[in-house]
C-alpha cells in the first residue's frame, strides 16, 4: 500500500513569478493609476501578510488574478460608459419591494 493520494490535488491559478511587478507597471501606466495603484498595493500588502501567517500563496495569486481581470475589462467598461448608455429608466428593486408592502 502506498501513501499517495487517489486524486490529484487541485492546483490553484499560479501567475508567472514576474506577474505582480508587470501588473503594477501596467496599473501605473493606466489613466486610473491614482486610485488603482494604491488600492492594488493595499490588497497586495494584506495578502502578503496573510501569506506570511498561513504559508499559503493563494491570497497573493487571487489579488493578481482579480487585478488582471480589472485591467483586462477596463476598455470594455470605458466603451460602455462612453456609449452614453441612458440608465435613467433603471428600475430600483429596493423601491419596488417597498411599494409592494
Amino acid at each position: 500500500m502506498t501513501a499517495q493520494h487517489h486524486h490529484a490535488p487541485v492546483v490553484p491559478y499560479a501567475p508567472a513569478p514576474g506577474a505582480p511587478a508587470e501588473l503594477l507597471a501596467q496599473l501605473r501606466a493606466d489613466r486610473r493609476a491614482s486610485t488603482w495603484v494604491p488600492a492594488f498595493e493595499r490588497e497586495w500588502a494584506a495578502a502578503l501578510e496573510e501569506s506570511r501567517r498561513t504559508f499559503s500563496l493563494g491570497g497573493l495569486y487571487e489579488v493578481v488574478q482579480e487585478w488582471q481581470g480589472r485591467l483586462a475589462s477596463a476598455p470594455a467598461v470605458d466603451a460602455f460608459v462612453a456609449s452614453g448608455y441612458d440608465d435613467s429608466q433603471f428600475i430600483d428593486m429596493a423601491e419596488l419591494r417597498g411599494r409592494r408592502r
Side-chain angles (χ1 to χ4, degrees):
M1 215 161 127
T2 65
Q4 294 179 359
H5 294 284
H6 288 79
H7 302 286
V10 176
V11 178
Y13 162 80
E22 182 181 317
L23 178 60
L24 186 55
Q26 291 173 341
L27 292 173
R28 286 183 174 144
D30 192 272
R31 68 177 180 81
R32 301 166 192 83
S34 64
T35 56
W36 279 16
V37 170
F40 172 78
E41 289 174 338
R42 278 191 307 272
E43 289 180 28
W44 182 258
L48 188 57
E49 185 57 35
E50 177 188 341
S51 177
R52 288 180 180 135
R53 283 192 330 270
T54 64
F55 298 99
S56 171
L57 298 175
L60 294 169
Y61 293 168
E62 187 176 314
V63 169
V64 170
Q65 188 174 23
E66 286 177 5
W67 279 96
Q68 286 173 333
R70 287 180 185 135
L71 198 55
S73 64
V77 171
D78 290 344
F80 177 77
V81 171
S83 73
Y85 175 74
D86 179 14
D87 65 352
S88 63
Q89 300 300 317
F90 173 74
I91 298 172
D92 185 352
M93 295 306 291
E95 183 181 328
L96 285 177
R97 283 191 286 277
R99 288 182 188 173
R100 286 190 257 172
R101 293 182 184 174

